[in-house]
Amino acid sequence: MGRPGLHCRAAQAVAHREEAAVRCGIVRACPFVRRLCTTQSPSPSSIVSTPASRRRAPDIRAWSGSPSLNSSLVSTSGTARPAAANQDTRLRVAVDVDEVLGRFVYALNLFCKDRYGMEYKVGDYWIYEFAKIWGCSQERSNQIVHEFFESQHFTGGIPVIPGALETLTRLSESDYELVVVTSRQHVIQDVTLDWLDRHYSGLFQEVYFGNHFALEGKSRKKSDICKNIGARVLIDDNPSYALECAAAGINVLLYDWEGAYPWSKLPASGVHNSELIRVVRDWGEVEQQLATLAPALRHPTLAPGDS
C-alpha cells in the first residue's frame, strides 16, 4: 500500500532490467538466500556461485538501487536471467505487502496507543495521510512512524491477513509466479524481508521496493515495475495504484478486506480501463478472480473466463 504524505516508507529506487544486465544477490542471515540487484552490473569476478548444498529454493531476490549494497554479491545459480524472463506458462502476479499480506495499520494503532495513548481504529483511516488522521504536522507524523519502525510492534508484531498464506501456497504450487511489489523504502527493507521469511517463506521469487515518498533517492511507479518485470496482475489495496496500473493495461485486484478499508474505494467516475480493476474482499475471492483471468492472460486470444 502506498503511503501518500508519509515520507519515510519507501526503498531506494528499484533497479529494473533496463538498468541492470544481471541479477545478483546479497547473502544475509535469513532462512534462505535473498538476491539483491543493484543499479550497476557486477563484474564476472564478483559473482560467486553458491554450492548446491547451501542453496534453498525458491529464494527471494530483493531489488533496490542502493549503491551501498554492492558487496557480497552471490548468484545462487551462477547464471544471470533478465528481470522479466518468464519463458513458461506461469502467470506472474505482483502482490503488495501492507494491508494485503499484513495488518500494518492494526499494528501501528497498537503502537500509538501504547506509546502516546492515541485511540484509532482501522476504520478511521479514510485516507493514508496519517498526519490528517492524527491531526498533527507531517514532521510529527513522520517521527511517530519512524519510532514505530524501531518498535516491537513493527519488527515482530504485524499479523498476517487471514487466508493469504493458504491461497498463495496453492497459487505457487500451480501455474503462477509470485513476486512482491511494495512502496516500502530501504530503511525497512531488511525487516520486510525477515517478516516475509517468517510468514510467507518460499512463496515469493522476488521483492521489489518502489521508494515512494522517500526523503532521498528516486522512486519508481508500480505500473513501471510491473511492466518491466512482466507482472500481468497486481494485488493492491491502494486505489491510486489500481488506477495507475489499469491505465497502463495491467489487471488489478483491488483488495478491500471484508469491505472494511475506507481508503480502498474507487472513484464513482473517470476510471480509465475500469474493466481491468476487480474488487476483492478476501483471499478466496483473489483465487477465484485469478482463475477467471489466467486463461486469457496466458493466451491473449481468449476472453476472460474462457478456457
Side-chain angles (χ1 to χ4, degrees), residues 18 20 59 105 253 262:
E18 75 271 21
D59 58 302
V105 172
L253 300 183

Side-chain angles (χ1 to χ4, degrees), residues 209-263:
F209 292 83
N211 197 41
H212 297 184
F213 314 111
L215 293 175
E216 60 182 18
K218 295 189 304 181
S219 65
R220 292 299 291 263
K221 297 193 299 183
K222 284 197 174 184
S223 58
D224 288 343
I225 297 173
C226 289
K227 289 175 74 69
N228 284 332
I229 67 174
R232 306 295 304 280
V233 182
L234 171 68
I235 305 170
D236 204 296
D237 64 310
N238 188 332
S240 66
Y241 294 142
L243 296 172
E244 170 197 316
C245 288
I250 298 165
N251 284 268
V252 180
L253 300 183
L254 182 60
Y255 196 87
D256 183 6
W257 187 28
E258 298 180 346
Y261 289 169
W263 65 87

Side-chain angles (χ1 to χ4, degrees), residues 122-160:
V122 172
D124 295 327
Y125 290 78
W126 55 272
I127 190 171
Y128 249 102
E129 294 184 28
F130 297 154
K132 291 183 178 180
I133 303 300
W134 299 338
C136 64
S137 68
Q138 186 62 59
E139 291 75 16
R140 178 56 176 162
S141 172
N142 290 347
Q143 177 188 349
I144 292 172
V145 176
H146 273 297
E147 292 175 0
F148 171 54
F149 289 160
E150 297 296 326
S151 73
Q152 183 62 26
H153 287 289
F154 180 72
T155 60
I158 295 184
V160 299

Side-chain angles (χ1 to χ4, degrees), residues 24-239:
C24 51
I26 184 166
V27 176
R28 301 174 52 251
C30 61
F32 45 79
V33 174
R34 291 127 174 202
R35 292 179 178 175
L36 190 144
C37 184
T38 60
T39 53
Q40 295 182 348
S41 303
S43 64
S45 61
S46 68
I47 302 178
V48 180
S49 179
T50 303
S53 61
R54 292 174 55 195
R55 298 176 195 160
R56 298 188 185 184
D59 58 302
I60 286 182
R61 303 173 187 87
W63 284 45
S64 83
S66 174
S68 64
L69 295 170
N70 281 324
S71 60
S72 304
L73 301 178
V74 176
S75 172
T76 56
S77 64
T79 59
R81 183 168 71 95
N86 204 14
Q87 301 298 327
D88 57 13
T89 60
R90 289 170 67 80
L91 180 64
R92 179 168 278 203
V93 177
V95 185
D96 183 32
V97 175
D98 297 323
E99 319 311 338
V100 175
L101 295 178
R103 301 175 64 188
F104 179 92
V105 172
Y106 172 83
L108 176 62
N109 285 341
L110 292 179
F111 167 79
C112 289
K113 181 177 180 179
D114 289 349
R115 180 68 61 87
Y116 295 108
M118 298 161 60
E119 296 272 0
Y120 291 96
K121 304 183 295 295
V122 172
D124 295 327
Y125 290 78
W126 55 272
I127 190 171
Y128 249 102
E129 294 184 28
F130 297 154
K132 291 183 178 180
I133 303 300
W134 299 338
C136 64
S137 68
Q138 186 62 59
E139 291 75 16
R140 178 56 176 162
S141 172
N142 290 347
Q143 177 188 349
I144 292 172
V145 176
H146 273 297
E147 292 175 0
F148 171 54
F149 289 160
E150 297 296 326
S151 73
Q152 183 62 26
H153 287 289
F154 180 72
T155 60
I158 295 184
V160 299
I161 298 291
L165 175 62
E166 295 79 5
T167 296
L168 289 167
T169 298
R170 286 192 295 271
L171 294 174
S172 69
E173 293 171 349
S174 186
D175 293 330
Y176 298 90
E177 186 177 56
L178 305 174
V179 299
V180 166
V181 175
T182 176
S183 64
R184 286 187 173 194
Q185 78 185 125
H186 183 239
V187 293
I188 53 173
Q189 175 176 292
D190 286 353
V191 177
T192 300
L193 295 177
D194 288 339
W195 186 85
L196 290 170
D197 280 343
R198 289 198 305 274
H199 299 292
Y200 298 98
S201 180
L203 296 180
F204 295 106
Q205 299 298 309
E206 299 155 0
V207 177
Y208 295 85
F209 292 83
N211 197 41
H212 297 184
F213 314 111
L215 293 175
E216 60 182 18
K218 295 189 304 181
S219 65
R220 292 299 291 263
K221 297 193 299 183
K222 284 197 174 184
S223 58
D224 288 343
I225 297 173
C226 289
K227 289 175 74 69
N228 284 332
I229 67 174
R232 306 295 304 280
V233 182
L234 171 68
I235 305 170
D236 204 296
D237 64 310
N238 188 332

